Amino acid sequence: MFPVRLVRRQRRSPSLVRMTFTDPSLDRFADRGYDQRIKLVLPKPGGLPLSAFPTGVDWWAQWREQPADARAHIRTYTVVAVRPERCEIDVDFVDHGITGPGSRFAVEAVPGDEAVIFGPNADFAGEAGGLEFRRELGGTARQLIVGDITALPAINGILERLPADATGLVSIEVPHEEDTRGVHAPPNVDLMWSVTDRGDDQGDAVRQWLTALGPLTSDHAATTVIEDGVADSYWEVSAGNTAVTETADLSAWIAGESGRVRALRRMLVDEFDIPKAAVCFMGYWRSGVAAS
Ligand SMILES: Cc1cc2nc3c(=O)[nH]c(=O)nc-3n(C[C@H](O)[C@H](O)[C@H](O)COP(=O)(O)OP(=O)(O)OC[C@H]3O[C@@H](n4cnc5c(N)ncnc54)[C@H](O)[C@@H]3O)c2cc1C
């Protein structure tokens, strides 16, 4: 747990706001890149102070025991940048209006506002968790990376660390044309934008790419696990991230609104016969439903 305060707030695009957090303890925040997720704890207005947030190993159970109308909000975000030497980390928040505590924080927070971040500690030698992208397949299997604006920070993190010889498709859906700036992919990875303002259909773009690819061979025997990673959201990732390492033609990473992710799962698994174990399906949020 890193107790942090906001130090800078910078509008990156119509949909994204970059929040920079600081605390002396962030010199031990591990920079693992890719899709590293964190938990952000925000106090509920008029509720319990952040100092009442449990920090022991059983923090989750203890937090659940606190009164629901007073306990802090917990939301999931992605680390964009880590600067241990400056004790800072950056997180890009989607501004979807004053409709939830995370987005409200992105719109209304001011430098000095406090939060708690649950993330990887550089002193921890074990597997810290929170990474789903299959790093070992980055330069071998063809990549299919599909996401919406909430997944853009993770996709950027993945693209920054993909090897120069990586191949595949990255398909990103964003609300506005101006949200497409500043994303770079290796030369043999196609970067395709679907802009909802323009009426683009991301599903069609992915279907066309998969059709052009032709049949794939992969190990259908590999297993998958379904985790309840996000309340009311859909989350299905390969066990141990290693199931198809030997034979994979394709490694897919799909994140965004849960209903859309389910529809993409149907397309990949039912229409194109891609083994579930070759794909991480992650519902990052659910339309009309607040995270718990
Ligand atoms: C692993 C992971 C990584 C994530 N990384 C990021 C990240 O880096 N940046 C980021 O912004 N989000 C990210 N998300 C998504 C974020 O956790 C959700 O969007 C979350 O619901 C935001 O909380 P909130 O308090 O703003 O809204 P909530 O209180 O959860 O929801 C309130 C209302 O807003 C709606 N809503 C929630 N999110 C959106 C949205 N994006 N667009 C439109 N309506 C929405 C809900 O359907 C609900 O009706 C990530 C999620 C996961 C699981």
Side-chain angles (χ1 to χ4, degrees):
M1 299 275 181
F2 297 86
V4 296
R5 66 188 162 77
L6 184 69
V7 67
R8 269 188 308 284
R9 183 185 170 280
Q10 187 192 0
R11 169 78 50 185
R12 303 287 293 175
S13 77
S15 303
L16 284 180
V17 181
R18 178 155 302 171
M19 311 292 263
T20 301
F21 297 96
T22 191
D23 185 73
S25 63
L26 290 177
D27 68 341
R28 306 313 303 147
F29 195 95
D31 183 6
R32 306 196 320 145
Y34 296 103
D35 53 341
Q36 176 70 61
R37 63 177 176 268
I38 53 169
K39 295 285 181 201
L40 178 78
V41 180
L42 296 169
K44 197 166 276 173
L48 293 168
L50 270 184
S51 55
F53 189 76
T55 54
V57 280
D58 59 346
W59 64 273
W60 178 260
Q62 282 190 37
W63 170 78
R64 303 265 308 176
E65 279 167 16
Q66 293 179 335
D69 58 353
R71 69 185 178 211
H73 299 287
I74 303 178
R75 293 292 182 268
T76 312
Y77 285 87
T78 305
V79 182
V80 167
V82 182
R83 290 178 295 279
E85 70 291 353
R86 299 189 58 177
C87 299
E88 288 182 355
I89 68 167
D90 294 337
V91 180
D92 281 356
F93 285 61
V94 174
D95 170 0
H96 56 90
I98 312 293
T99 56
S103 184
R104 173 187 289 272
F105 187 76
V107 174
E108 293 183 345
V110 293
D113 282 359
E114 292 180 330
V116 171
I117 286 176
F118 183 60
N121 190 308
D123 292 330
F124 180 64
E127 174 50 52
L131 284 177
E132 302 300 343
F133 181 75
R134 287 192 192 83
R135 285 94 71 200
E136 72 282 4
L137 296 180
T140 53
R142 203 179 269 106
Q143 300 296 321
L144 173 62
I145 298 172
V146 183
D148 66 10
I149 185 87
T150 61
L152 182 52
I155 293 175
N156 252 326
I158 292 168
L159 287 177
E160 277 168 15
R161 296 203 185 202
L162 273 186
D165 62 350
T167 58
L169 171 72
V170 172
S171 163
I172 312 169
E173 185 185 78
V174 292
H176 313 288
E177 188 84 48
E178 298 91 324
D179 292 319
T180 65
R181 286 190 299 244
V183 179
H184 305 284
N188 296 321
V189 174
D190 297 329
L191 179 57
M192 204 181 286
W193 293 98
S194 299
V195 179
T196 38
D197 261 3
R198 276 193 319 230
D200 296 346
D201 188 322
Q202 187 180 36
D204 278 354
V206 174
R207 183 175 281 110
Q208 275 175 28
W209 187 80
L210 284 169
T211 304
L213 209 56
L216 295 159
T217 57
S218 271
D219 176 8
H220 282 251
T223 54
T224 61
V225 291
I226 298 177
E227 283 179 15
D228 185 18
V230 188
D232 294 317
S233 278
Y234 173 58
W235 194 265
E236 185 175 358
V237 296
S238 299
N241 269 355
T242 54
V244 290
T245 310
E246 298 301 323
T247 53
D249 274 352
L250 181 85
S251 175
W253 183 101
I254 316 282
E257 198 281 320
S258 287
R260 303 288 300 277
V261 171
R262 277 179 195 277
L264 283 161
R265 180 192 188 280
R266 279 195 294 276
M267 184 198 297
L268 266 62
V269 175
D270 300 344
E271 279 182 49
F272 289 92
D273 203 25
I274 293 170
K276 285 176 285 184
V279 189
C280 295
F281 298 104
M282 294 161 293
Y284 267 19
W285 62 285
R286 187 164 165 205
S287 181
V289 179
S292 65

